[in-house]
């Protein structure tokens, strides 16, 4: 299981100061092995609503009785259901324009991260694994925010500068 999740779960369940605020709702996905069960445990602990987003890894698995028939349709149906759950928790309808802007910012963050990964191919490598792993938390905690973009731009610029100067980690 992910070290971050294990730390967060343990601190929360022991009643210690959690690393993030207690959740209003927990949404897990099948993209992470430890997320579905770990977040279900926290949902029970905090008595929070829980939703599991089942990401389709196999298009053929989306076909059958009661299933939409394609990976895109399968995921879209779940996202529509998730929106209804989140609207219920928030007590207001989703703002499609705000959601679209959040996705644009998330995509910008992911592109910046891809730029950083590309820069890591420079010899000598301008950033080490410890810094890369530590900084990857930004992808989970700040996707869709300007703060995430700002961090990734600064990191890309610093790594790019190191690459241009042929300054490696060691």
């Amino acid at each position: 299981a992910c070290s971050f999740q294990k730390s967060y779960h343990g601190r929360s369940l022991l009643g210690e100061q959690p690393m993030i605020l207690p959740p209003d709702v927990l949404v897990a996905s099948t993209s992470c092995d430890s997320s579905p069960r770990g977040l279900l445990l926290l949902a029970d602990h905090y008595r929070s609503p829980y939703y599991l987003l089942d990401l389709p890894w196999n298009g053929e698995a989306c076909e059958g009785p009661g299933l939409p028939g394609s990976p895109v349709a399968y995921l879209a149906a779940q996202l529509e259901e998730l929106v209804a759950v989140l609207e219920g928790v928030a007590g207001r309808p989703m703002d499609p324009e705000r959601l679209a802007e959040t996705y644009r910012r998330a995509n910008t963050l992911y592109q910046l991260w891809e730029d950083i990964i590309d820069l890591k191919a420079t010899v000598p490598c301008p950033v080490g694994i410890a810094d890369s792993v530590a900084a990857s938390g930004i992808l989970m905690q700040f996707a869709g925010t300007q703060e995430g973009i700002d961090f990734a731009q600064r990191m890309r610029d610093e790594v790019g500068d190191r690459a241009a100067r042929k300054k490696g980690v060691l």
Side-chain angles (χ1 to χ4, degrees), residues 126-147:
V127 64
I129 189 68
D131 288 333
S132 295
V133 170
S136 70
I138 206 79
L139 299 172
M140 294 180 277
Q141 301 299 319
F142 290 91
T145 68
Q146 188 59 47
E147 292 84 358

Side-chain angles (χ1 to χ4, degrees), residues 2 10 12 22 43 54 58-59 81 94 114 122 126 136 139 148 154-155 164:
C2 170
S12 298
D54 180 28
N58 177 353
E81 185 177 83
M94 178 191 69
E114 190 172 319
T122 306
S136 70
L139 299 172
R154 287 192 305 271
M155 183 172 177

Side-chain angles (χ1 to χ4, degrees), residues 87-111:
E87 287 176 334
V89 170
R92 60 184 162 83
M94 178 191 69
D95 179 348
E97 291 178 20
R98 186 173 176 205
L99 179 63
E101 179 57 31
T102 298
Y103 269 95
R104 280 191 286 278
R105 285 193 301 263
N107 285 334
T108 299
L109 173 63
Y110 298 141
Q111 181 57 59

